[in-house]
Amino acid sequence: MFDIIGDIHGHADALERLLRALGYRYRNGAWRFPGRTRRAVFVGDFIDRGPDIRRTVEIAQRMLDHDTAWAVMGNHEYNALLWHTLDSEGSWLRRHDAVHFAQHAATLHQYHQDPRALNELLQWIVTLPLFLEHDSFRVVHAAWDERAIADVRATPCATADHDFLERSAVAGFRESAIAEHLFKGVEIPIPQGFWYRDKEGTPRYKTRTRWWIDPAEQALLRERHGTITMGMVAMPPADRELAELPLESTALAHLPGYHDPRPVFVGHYWLTGVPAPFTDRIACVDYSIARRGSLCAYRFDGELPLTADRFLCVTAD
């Protein structure tokens, strides 16, 4: 019995309210489910944006230490490692520019007077695996790309290795593709001359996709509609802003598909509205708590198909 919890982004009060609503109680130093019959599973993105990042991290750490929760790394934890790590030539792995600073600013502010605590945070982050596999389900922050997973299956905490981390920050290395897909999703280029603005107003010339759409489903879409458009395969907001834009087969070849019978749970995608699974085996639990949305969990008891009535959410404070 598992409760898969979405991106928290420093909203500790909402996390505690969600845990309480799920039936967890704070006992002996950690939130735990009575009788240990359920375990929480975090999809990453504990840090950045929110008002109480340090307490969020502490809650998660205590639950992991007491084996009442599991967790994977999110792209914000990964980006923090890059921000605070130098490459072999003495440059930061993540550029300290205005856009990246804005994304990490809340964490920097809340830890700025306690460098020891910040270092302990980074040491904890590298212990988080890139993905989780259980007999009955899987968890990854953004996209389950079997090719990328295969490359790190023997070392799920690959970011603890400096060489892997450094190569992951440089486009063209296989490690970079692994990090991009698992932490940020599978992207395809937008046809030349078109673009959209992301949630922070930054122009984007690539878009995240519904990576689970495999060639067989693409063929069905072509048969039914004559062409595949951005609205059919892109994640928000590109699916709305560029909905009628047709896509070439070369772009769609990047989508890995998903073929395992086990369901996979992800975060990352800043969804809104009434929670529901993407498919009968794929569900996102990120419903934008950091933008006055909801913090959500999916109560998974081994059932298939995944259904909307298994979500439980609390709103922002």
Side-chain angles (χ1 to χ4, degrees):
M1 311 283 188
F2 299 92
D3 299 303
I4 295 89
I5 296 176
D7 307 33
I8 306 162
H9 284 302
H11 285 74
D13 286 347
L15 174 58
E16 290 189 329
R17 285 189 285 111
L18 179 62
L19 288 169
R20 192 173 292 111
L22 289 166
Y24 291 74
R25 298 293 180 263
Y26 190 81
R27 299 285 187 274
N28 301 320
W31 287 87
R32 60 187 75 221
F33 197 86
R36 301 179 68 90
T37 55
R38 303 193 71 85
R39 178 183 275 114
V41 183
F42 298 109
V43 301
D45 278 7
F46 301 96
I47 66 171
D48 295 343
R49 305 192 188 281
D52 207 343
I53 293 164
R54 293 184 64 166
R55 188 156 65 91
T56 298
V57 170
E58 180 182 1
I59 291 168
Q61 286 176 329
R62 287 178 175 270
M63 292 183 73
L64 267 65
D65 289 345
H66 287 78
D67 198 29
T68 65
W70 295 335
V72 299
M73 187 184 298
N75 66 299
H76 281 259
E77 286 80 43
Y78 169 71
N79 288 341
L81 290 180
L82 299 184
W83 175 277
H84 294 281
T85 302
L86 294 169
D87 66 18
S88 55
E89 297 180 354
S91 298
W92 298 111
L93 293 181
R94 185 169 174 82
R95 293 192 313 276
H96 287 197
D97 59 25
V99 172
H100 295 162
F101 174 78
Q103 293 170 353
H104 195 39
T107 301
L108 293 172
H109 174 72
Q110 292 174 43
Y111 281 88
H112 81 284
Q113 291 184 331
D114 197 343
R116 178 178 177 179
L118 177 59
N119 186 57
E120 290 173 349
L121 169 66
L122 297 172
Q123 291 178 356
W124 177 68
I125 287 174
V126 299
T127 69
L128 297 174
L130 281 60
F131 64 93
L132 287 174
E133 283 189 284
H134 183 268
D135 289 345
S136 60
F137 69 100
R138 292 165 155 181
V139 177
V140 68
H141 184 67
W144 191 280
D145 180 346
E146 191 59 48
R147 295 166 296 187
I149 294 287
D151 284 347
V152 291
R153 186 167 269 120
T155 54
C157 296
T159 53
D161 178 77
H162 184 275
D163 290 341
F164 178 96
L165 193 64
E166 183 169 352
R167 288 191 295 269
S168 78
V170 181
F173 283 103
R174 178 60 181 154
E175 291 84 351
S176 175
I178 293 169
E180 284 291 320
H181 285 198
L182 303 191
F183 293 135
K184 302 177 183 181
V186 180
E187 293 188 330
I188 58 173
I190 295 171
Q192 188 172 3
F194 296 89
W195 56 278
Y196 72 97
R197 292 189 184 276
D198 67 13
K199 62 184 179 298
E200 294 167 335
T202 304
R204 297 292 184 182
Y205 301 92
K206 294 182 179 181
T207 181
R208 296 167 181 164
T209 60
R210 302 174 194 178
W211 46 268
W212 55 89
I213 299 177
D214 62 20
E217 188 171 353
Q218 292 175 33
L220 287 175
L221 289 172
R222 288 190 188 281
E223 182 179 335
R224 293 171 184 169
H225 303 282
T227 188
I228 298 178
T229 65
M230 189 71 74
M232 297 175 189
V233 302
M235 297 295 291
D239 64 328
R240 300 186 299 270
E241 295 191 20
L242 302 173
E244 302 305 317
L245 187 65
L247 292 172
E248 298 292 335
S249 298
T250 53
L252 297 171
H254 293 282
L255 277 58
Y258 185 71
H259 308 103
D260 196 273
R262 289 170 290 181
V264 59
F265 297 93
V266 300
H268 188 60
Y269 291 107
W270 295 92
L271 301 183
T272 58
V274 178
F278 287 144
T279 75
D280 61 357
R281 290 179 296 139
I282 301 170
C284 176
V285 288
D286 177 19
Y287 278 82
S288 304
I289 185 67
R291 293 187 180 275
R292 307 302 297 176
S294 300
L295 181 62
C296 293
Y298 188 95
R299 311 213 76 182
F300 181 65
D301 293 337
E303 74 286 342
L304 281 177
L306 303 179
T307 57
D309 60 358
R310 304 296 292 181
F311 283 90
L312 192 153
C313 305
V314 298
T315 57
D317 301 335

